[in-house]
Amino acid sequence: MSAGAEDWLDKLRWDAQGLVPAIAQEVGSNDVLMVAWMNREALAQTAARGEAVYWSRSRNRLWHKGEESGHVQKVREIRIDCDEDVVLLKVEQTGGIACHTGRHSCFFQLLVREGGEPHWQSVEPVLVDPERIYR
Amino acid sequence: MSAGAEDWLDKLRWDAQGLVPAIAQEVGSNDVLMVAWMNREALAQTAARGEAVYWSRSRNRLWHKGEESGHVQKVREIRIDCDEDVVLLKVEQTGGIACHTGRHSCFFQLLVREGGEPHWQSVEPVLVDPERIYR
């Protein structure tokens, strides 16, 4: 590999922990499916294999999305923003389920302000029982 | 105001700096326009005024998006993800321009891997000269 082969990874402004947020957006619907974190190696692997690889902060290791559930994300585009500190992936979501709760998207909690105190309400259906996702 | 009036803000898992990332997604197109940061006060003000208010990490103050450019974001929905540490706003983008570079979206840099080394390429047009946005 030539010296310049990973220059594109230097373009990102990694934070003090070496991470940036990464959004997975579904091709076609444009739904925002989830946000996770990437370090340099996660982004390099994502580009190399064409499937989303994140850095799991809770497990402190690389996380090939779908490695347990089978719900891998096929990556069609990789973008960064004007500040070069956020990644946007355009993905095809295998199984149509991105969330570990069995929902299409992780963003299923909506702020509702009608009828009393503001509160968060789940507004998206559980498509598959999570116990069936993680066997 | 009753004691419970701000309980909904306690639902979020603010990071060590008291912040969470916030995505602005355009109603209709579902385009991801930008990502910024919010602290508790920014989210409270966003809900109260119905326009996006972020925490500017560079200026270290609340930032009412569009306060200089006029490109305010009218907030139609506020959502959080399953981990309760990312906010998703569904917004109407005044002027159709979210980015300080004069583009519709901040995510205009695409990773291109054809023809040599991988590199980032700007793939979205500048709609308005930035010098005309910030008078």
Side-chain angles (χ1 to χ4, degrees):
Chain A
M1 207 177 288
S2 76
E6 291 198 337
D7 283 357
W8 66 280
L9 290 165
D10 295 331
K11 181 85 164 175
L12 280 98
R13 298 199 302 144
W14 308 99
D15 74 8
Q17 284 75 48
L19 302 174
V20 295
I23 304 168
Q25 182 182 26
E26 190 175 47
V27 170
S29 70
N30 264 352
D31 289 339
V32 173
L33 298 176
M34 57 178 282
V35 170
W37 294 81
M38 285 187 171
N39 60 10
R40 189 180 171 94
E41 181 63 19
L43 182 53
Q45 287 200 17
T46 296
R49 62 196 299 172
E51 295 184 352
V53 176
Y54 302 104
W55 176 257
S56 169
R57 295 180 302 172
S58 57
R59 289 174 288 179
N60 216 40
R61 67 168 176 84
L62 289 171
W63 161 41
H64 175 213
K65 167 72 181 168
E67 62 193 9
E68 289 181 63
S69 63
H71 295 155
V72 300
Q73 297 176 331
K74 295 197 182 302
V75 175
R76 296 301 171 222
E77 277 188 16
I78 302 176
R79 293 182 177 230
I80 53 174
D81 69 344
C82 52
D83 290 334
E84 286 127 15
D85 60 3
V86 182
V87 170
L88 177 66
L89 305 177
K90 302 283 187 88
V91 305
E92 289 172 23
Q93 177 60 61
T94 305
I97 294 171
C99 188
H100 75 287
T101 64
R103 294 177 175 88
H104 175 57
S105 163
C106 293
F107 290 92
F108 58 83
Q109 301 184 84
L110 175 69
L111 183 63
V112 175
R113 283 173 289 177
E114 291 76 38
E117 302 293 354
H119 60 281
W120 300 99
Q121 188 172 309
S122 292
V123 294
E124 304 293 341
V126 174
L127 302 175
V128 176
D129 182 342
E131 293 196 0
R132 290 184 52 202
I133 301 178
Y134 301 96
R135 288 154 293 227
Chain B
M1 207 179 287
S2 77
E6 291 197 336
D7 283 357
W8 66 278
L9 290 165
D10 295 332
K11 181 87 165 174
L12 279 99
R13 298 198 303 145
W14 308 99
D15 74 8
Q17 285 74 47
L19 302 174
V20 295
I23 305 167
Q25 182 181 27
E26 190 176 45
V27 170
S29 70
N30 264 352
D31 289 341
V32 173
L33 299 176
M34 58 179 281
V35 170
W37 294 81
M38 285 187 172
N39 61 8
R40 188 179 171 95
E41 180 64 17
L43 182 52
Q45 287 199 18
T46 295
R49 60 195 301 170
E51 295 184 353
V53 176
Y54 302 104
W55 177 256
S56 169
R57 295 180 303 173
S58 57
R59 289 175 288 180
N60 216 42
R61 67 166 176 85
L62 289 171
W63 160 42
H64 176 213
K65 167 72 179 166
E67 62 192 7
E68 287 181 63
S69 63
H71 295 156
V72 300
Q73 297 175 329
K74 296 198 181 302
V75 175
R76 296 302 172 220
E77 277 188 16
I78 301 175
R79 292 182 178 230
I80 53 175
D81 69 344
C82 53
D83 290 335
E84 287 127 15
D85 59 3
V86 182
V87 170
L88 176 66
L89 304 178
K90 302 283 187 87
V91 306
E92 290 172 22
Q93 177 61 62
T94 304
I97 294 172
C99 187
H100 76 286
T101 64
R103 294 177 175 88
H104 175 58
S105 162
C106 294
F107 290 91
F108 58 83
Q109 301 184 84
L110 175 71
L111 183 63
V112 175
R113 283 172 288 177
E114 292 76 37
E117 303 293 354
H119 60 280
W120 301 99
Q121 188 172 309
S122 291
V123 293
E124 304 292 341
V126 174
L127 302 175
V128 175
D129 183 342
E131 293 197 1
R132 290 184 52 202
I133 300 177
Y134 300 97
R135 288 154 295 224

